[in-house]
């Protein structure tokens, strides 16, 4: 199977990430005004239940599947066998989880009042088993994933604006969301015939998959718990206002992390493929380039948004959220920490089948976050929550580094680090000179300062002859 270039895959994955950010920003203001808080609240309630149920039903296949598909993708018979095994596991788990949800209607009064949404949620759980995104990621079909995703986002957008017209249309809105995922999954199944056979394979084996899947599932569950833990604990300890402030600061962190990780997420299948072929030279080359790429993006973003945290908060939430500025500044170094964790975890430990070590690191990070929240939230509120998250992320990263340091040795260029530091210092010095003169609207302040900061950053990198930047500019024919 012909492999697309890594740059090609990165471009499409970044486009996909941007679409996942932009489309909700377009639909949310309209839907929230039409459905009112009560309608949005009930839809989001069942959507959250569905998301957790799907997380349980997939049992880590979303990550494990990428790795195992990448290792056998050149052998159609092996690929077909693996896909049928994982899909069957996913289908059985999805049916079990959806059945438990339907049975719970008999005992939960809240479910009985919204049978329509319960049925939509149960259907979305069962059909999620046929999404096969892990298959296409393992095959590095990022152009197909992106085109398909944008197609159904556009269809859903049109249907929402046409059909959702009054508060009672909240079930219709949930149905459109289901239609989007269902249509996407049907297309995925038909398109998969290009790569696998639908003829049932004899001798399916499930046992070898269970242990690594459960390790990765536990890791995903731990991450999911401690990414939502701060808001839950803040609500109990500091109240709803604190949760609102913290959500704005963490929202910006989440958006920036999506951009950083989207550039490197495409590397898991390629790295796994090279390991399966025992091509250590190619593995090390990609690891070195990806490490440089993540640091080149994460470090300047972190520093810039520490400078411009206030305007970022004002743009996202308005004047009522200005108290979240310090919280956001504390959270910004996580861009660098999580970027590095992406290298040690997704690009080293997981491709090397060290799922247990990855799970240990993530679980310890979750425990540290919980303990620090208990001690820091009561006296310091959202600042304490931000410090706890920062320390937890740093702890997880340090443990992952300890487990992966033998693979990292010689992979991170000190010349690249020197060039990044000099460029960021130069850009920061420029920001210090002009930041006091920025008295415009937040959007204008951000546009002007970003142009200057990243312009200086890029210019210094070019002057220093940073090879990764020069290579990218050459390929882009700038």
């Amino acid at each position: 199977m012909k492999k697309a270039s890594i740059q090609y895959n990165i471009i499409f994955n970044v486009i996909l990430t941007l679409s996942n950010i932009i489309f909700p920003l377009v639909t949310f203001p309209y839907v929230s005004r039409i459905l009112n808080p009560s309608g949005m609240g009930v839809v989001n309630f069942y959507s959250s239940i569905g998301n957790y149920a799907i997380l349980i039903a997939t049992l880590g296949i979303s990550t494990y599947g990428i790795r195992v598909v990448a290792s056998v993708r050149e052998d159609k018979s092996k690929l077909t066998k693996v896909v049928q095994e994982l899909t069957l596991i996913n289908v059985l788990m999805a049916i079990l989880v959806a059945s438990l949800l339907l049975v719970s209607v008999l005992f939960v009064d809240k479910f009985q009042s919204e049978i329509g949404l319960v049925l939509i949620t149960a259907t979305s759980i069962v059909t999620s088993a046929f999404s096969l995104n892990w298959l296409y990621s393992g095959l590095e079909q990022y152009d197909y994933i992106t085109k398909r995703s944008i197609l159904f986002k556009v269809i859903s957008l049109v249907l929402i604006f046409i059909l959702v017209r009054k508060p009672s249309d909240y079930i219709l809105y949930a149905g459109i969301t289901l239609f989007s995922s269902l249509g996407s999954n049907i297309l995925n199944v038909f398109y998969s015939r290009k790569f696998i056979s639908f003829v049932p394979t004899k001798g399916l084996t499930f046992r070898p998959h269970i242990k690594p899947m459960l390790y990765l599932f536990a890791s995903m569950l731990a991450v999911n718990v401690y990414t939502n833990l701060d808001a839950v604990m803040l609500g109990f300890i500091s109240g709803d206002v604190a949760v609102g402030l913290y959500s704005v600061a963490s929202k910006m962190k989440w958006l920036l992390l999506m951009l950083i990780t989207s550039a490197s997420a495409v590397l898991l299948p390629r790295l796994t493929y090279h390991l399966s072929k025992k091509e250590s030279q190619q593995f090390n080359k990609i690891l070195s380039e990806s490490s440089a790429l993540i640091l080149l993006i994460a470090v300047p973003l972190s520093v810039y948004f520490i400078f411009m945290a206030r305007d970022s908060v004002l743009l996202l939430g308005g004047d009522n959220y200005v108290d979240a500025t310090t919280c956001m500044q504390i959270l910004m170094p996580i861009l660098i920490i999580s970027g590095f964790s992406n290298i040690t975890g997704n690009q080293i430990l997981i491709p090397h089948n060290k799922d247990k070590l990855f799970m240990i690191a993530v679980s310890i990070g979750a425990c540290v976050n919980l303990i620090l929240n208990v001690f820091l939230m009561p006296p310091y509120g959202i600042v304490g929550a931000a410090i706890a998250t920062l320390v937890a992320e740093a702890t997880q990263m340090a443990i992952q580094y300890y487990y992966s340091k033998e693979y990292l040795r010689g992979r991170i260029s000190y010349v690249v680090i020197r060039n990044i530091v000099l460029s960021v210092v130069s850009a920061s010095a420029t920001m210090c000179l002009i930041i006091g003169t920025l008295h415009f609207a937040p959007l204008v302040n951000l546009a002007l300062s970003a142009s200057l900061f990243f312009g200086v950053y890029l210019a210094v990198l070019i002057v220093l002859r940073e090879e990764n930047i020069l290579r990218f500019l050459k390929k882009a024919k700038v």
Side-chain angles (χ1 to χ4, degrees):
M1 183 183 300
K2 184 179 179 181
K3 301 187 293 293
S5 70
I6 290 176
Q7 291 80 8
Y8 181 83
N9 289 337
I10 286 174
I11 289 171
F12 272 99
N13 209 42
V14 169
I15 293 172
L16 177 62
T17 300
L18 290 174
S19 73
N20 290 335
I21 295 171
I22 293 170
F23 276 91
L25 291 177
V26 174
T27 58
F28 185 81
Y30 173 78
V31 174
S32 61
R33 285 165 174 78
I34 295 295
L35 300 186
N36 297 327
S38 59
M40 283 299 294
V42 70
V43 171
N44 287 335
F45 173 75
Y46 284 96
S47 175
S48 297
I49 291 175
N51 290 336
Y52 276 106
I54 290 171
L55 175 66
I56 294 171
T58 56
L59 280 178
I61 291 176
S62 56
T63 300
Y64 173 74
I66 296 175
R67 185 178 72 197
V68 71
V69 164
S71 65
V72 299
R73 65 187 182 189
E74 292 188 341
D75 187 322
K76 185 174 181 178
S77 61
K78 289 183 178 180
L79 178 61
T80 296
K81 183 174 181 291
V82 162
V83 172
Q84 290 185 7
E85 289 167 347
L86 296 185
T87 302
L88 187 56
I89 292 172
N90 203 348
V91 168
L92 292 176
M93 282 299 302
I95 292 173
L96 174 62
V97 173
S99 299
L100 290 174
L101 174 62
L102 293 175
V103 170
S104 67
V105 172
L106 300 174
F107 309 100
V108 181
D109 292 340
K110 188 175 180 64
F111 290 170
Q112 295 172 9
S113 63
E114 293 290 351
I115 295 296
L117 288 178
V118 171
L119 291 175
I120 289 173
T121 303
T123 304
S124 69
I125 295 168
V126 174
T127 57
S128 69
F130 301 98
S131 70
L132 302 180
N133 281 331
W134 46 270
L135 168 63
Y136 296 110
S137 294
L139 296 173
E140 298 189 50
Q141 296 288 312
Y142 291 100
D143 52 350
Y144 165 75
I145 294 173
T146 301
K147 293 171 185 175
R148 180 216 65 204
S149 176
I150 291 177
L151 170 64
F152 282 97
K153 280 185 173 67
V154 171
I155 294 174
S156 297
L157 181 67
V158 173
L159 290 176
I160 287 170
F161 283 125
I162 292 175
L163 300 178
V164 180
R165 312 291 295 182
K166 54 187 184 296
S168 59
D169 289 338
Y170 65 90
I171 293 182
L172 192 57
Y173 171 62
I176 292 172
T177 304
L178 173 62
F179 162 78
S180 177
S181 61
L182 183 59
S184 180
N185 293 347
I186 291 173
L187 187 61
N188 283 349
V189 171
F190 277 100
Y191 190 69
S192 68
R193 293 182 300 174
K194 181 178 178 180
F195 309 103
I196 63 172
S197 171
F198 280 13
V199 177
T201 302
K202 295 181 180 179
L204 296 180
T205 55
F206 305 101
R207 193 182 202 87
H209 302 303
I210 300 302
K211 189 174 181 179
M213 282 170 49
L214 290 177
Y215 280 138
L216 289 172
F217 169 68
S219 302
M220 294 168 64
L221 195 61
V223 169
N224 197 279
V225 166
Y226 89 79
T227 52
N228 294 293
L229 187 64
D230 295 341
V232 174
M233 294 185 68
L234 269 175
F236 283 109
I237 295 174
S238 301
D240 293 338
V241 173
V243 176
L245 293 173
Y246 189 77
S247 66
V248 170
S250 58
K251 182 75 169 180
M252 178 59 75
K253 179 203 72 175
W254 175 76
L255 292 174
L256 294 171
L257 270 178
M258 282 183 67
L259 290 175
I260 293 170
T261 56
S262 68
S264 60
V266 302
L267 298 174
L268 173 57
R270 186 65 63 91
L271 291 168
T272 300
Y273 172 80
H274 288 311
L275 282 177
S276 69
K277 298 296 181 182
K278 302 188 186 307
E279 297 170 348
S280 58
Q281 185 175 352
Q282 290 89 332
F283 177 92
N284 291 333
K285 181 176 182 293
I286 293 175
L287 186 60
S288 296
E289 292 177 353
S290 67
S291 300
L293 174 66
I294 289 175
L295 293 175
L296 282 164
I297 297 172
V299 174
L301 279 178
S302 177
V303 173
Y304 171 77
F305 280 98
I306 288 175
F307 276 112
M308 300 304 296
R310 187 175 188 276
D311 282 295
S312 301
V313 167
L314 290 174
L315 181 64
L316 276 181
D319 293 338
N320 292 332
Y321 293 86
V322 70
D323 289 342
T325 300
T326 302
C327 177
M328 179 177 163
Q329 290 173 323
I330 295 171
L331 290 174
M332 282 302 99
I334 291 177
L335 301 183
I336 303 172
I337 295 169
S338 288
F340 193 78
S341 293
N342 189 272
I343 298 169
T344 55
N346 290 0
Q347 297 179 34
I348 295 178
L349 294 180
I350 292 178
H352 281 91
N353 299 327
K354 296 184 181 296
D355 307 314
K356 183 177 180 180
L357 300 181
F358 180 72
M359 180 196 70
I360 290 172
V362 173
S363 300
I364 291 176
C367 292
V368 169
N369 186 248
L370 172 63
I371 293 169
L372 290 180
N373 279 340
V374 170
F375 287 101
L376 295 179
M377 277 187 184
Y380 303 114
I382 61 173
V383 171
I387 293 172
T389 301
L390 178 64
V391 175
E393 291 280 3
T395 301
Q396 175 192 328
M397 183 268 288
I399 296 170
Q400 288 187 6
Y401 171 75
Y402 175 78
Y403 289 141
S404 60
K405 59 185 178 181
E406 63 179 288
Y407 304 103
L408 273 174
R409 193 172 293 115
R411 302 283 78 82
I412 299 179
S413 169
Y414 292 104
V415 174
V416 173
I417 294 176
R418 182 206 64 189
N419 291 344
I420 292 173
V421 170
L422 291 175
S423 301
V424 167
V425 168
S426 301
S428 299
T430 307
M431 284 289 290
C432 289
L433 294 176
I434 63 97
I435 197 168
T437 65
L438 297 174
H439 302 299
F440 307 102
L443 181 60
V444 177
N445 288 341
L446 288 168
L448 292 174
S449 60
S451 300
L452 186 61
F453 181 91
F454 291 104
V456 171
Y457 174 73
L458 184 60
V460 176
L461 285 176
I462 293 173
V463 170
L464 293 172
R465 308 295 297 173
E466 167 52 45
E467 61 179 15
N468 294 282
I469 295 298
L470 295 178
R471 183 169 58 251
F472 174 80
L473 293 176
K474 183 179 179 180
K475 289 183 177 180
K477 297 182 180 179
V478 174

